[in-house]
């Protein structure tokens, strides 16, 4: 993630975690010098891929500029990242109905707030504490 510097296992996990500014890593190959001459004479993509397999050895992945390759990759976890409706939430509570402004604030923080899994009683975790609260869980 170019914005936070968090490294994800793959782009699908990044998307699952709400990342919009994905920074792909580069794959570096070590190839013999004769490969360039062969490719210049035959620019076919299929042939180029075959030649890379023949004349190159995998070397390494390099992180984008500004991202560390030492950080552990964050995986994608199934989690609840939305709120139940205000009416559904009110039906769960025995107290007064939550005002619209507070409910809207919870929804916004649930969706756009920090990713910090909250797991209660062994169920499916919530994206963060705001998602837990707007799904009827008591505040921590």
């Amino acid at each position: 993630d170019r914005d936070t510097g968090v490294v994800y296992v793959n782009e699908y996990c990044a998307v699952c975690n709400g990342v919009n500014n994905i920074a792909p890593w580069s794959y570096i190959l070590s190839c013999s010098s004769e490969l360039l001459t062969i490719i210049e004479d035959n620019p076919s993509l299929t042939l180029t891929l075959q030649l890379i397999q023949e004349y190159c050895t995998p070397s390494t992945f390099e992180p984008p500029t500004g991202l560390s390759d030492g950080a552990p990759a964050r995986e994608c976890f199934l989690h609840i990242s939305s709120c139940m409706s205000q009416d559904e939430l009110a039906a769960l509570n025995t107290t007064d109905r939550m005002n619209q402004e507070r409910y809207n604030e919870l929804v916004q923080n649930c969706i756009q707030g920090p990713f910090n899994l909250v797991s209660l009683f062994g169920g499916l975790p919530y994206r963060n504490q705001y998602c837990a609260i707007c799904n009827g869980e008591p505040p921590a």
Side-chain angles (χ1 to χ4, degrees):
D1 181 351
R2 290 184 199 272
D3 297 331
T4 64
V6 173
V7 177
Y8 293 90
V9 172
N10 57 43
E11 72 177 292
Y12 304 105
C13 289
V15 170
C16 176
N17 284 282
V19 175
N20 294 315
N21 197 1
I22 297 172
W25 287 41
S26 299
Y27 187 62
I28 308 301
L29 295 169
S30 297
C31 304
S32 70
S33 57
E34 48 189 298
L35 177 63
L36 185 57
T37 306
I38 296 169
I39 290 175
E40 285 176 350
D41 293 339
N42 304 294
S44 158
L45 179 60
T46 304
L47 180 60
T48 299
L49 294 175
Q50 291 171 348
L51 292 170
I52 287 173
Q53 289 177 339
E54 186 176 332
Y55 288 93
C56 302
T57 57
S59 181
T60 184
F61 282 98
E62 284 191 7
T65 305
L67 293 184
S68 169
D69 64 352
R74 183 174 290 176
E75 305 222 8
C76 193
F77 296 100
L78 291 177
H79 58 277
I80 297 169
S81 59
S82 61
C83 296
M84 60 177 53
S85 74
Q86 194 170 9
D87 290 335
E88 291 172 314
L89 189 58
L92 291 178
N93 292 329
T94 57
T95 60
D96 294 332
R97 180 183 171 101
M98 183 182 301
N99 72 45
Q100 187 68 42
E101 183 178 339
R102 173 70 176 137
Y103 176 76
N104 291 343
E105 181 183 322
L106 280 174
V107 171
Q108 181 175 355
N109 284 326
C110 172
I111 296 168
Q112 298 174 351
F115 185 86
N116 185 21
L117 288 177
V118 174
S119 183
L120 303 169
F121 310 112
L124 191 61
Y126 296 96
R127 182 178 188 278
N128 56 35
Q129 66 186 14
Y130 305 105
C131 293
I133 294 168
C134 71
N135 280 285
E137 300 292 351

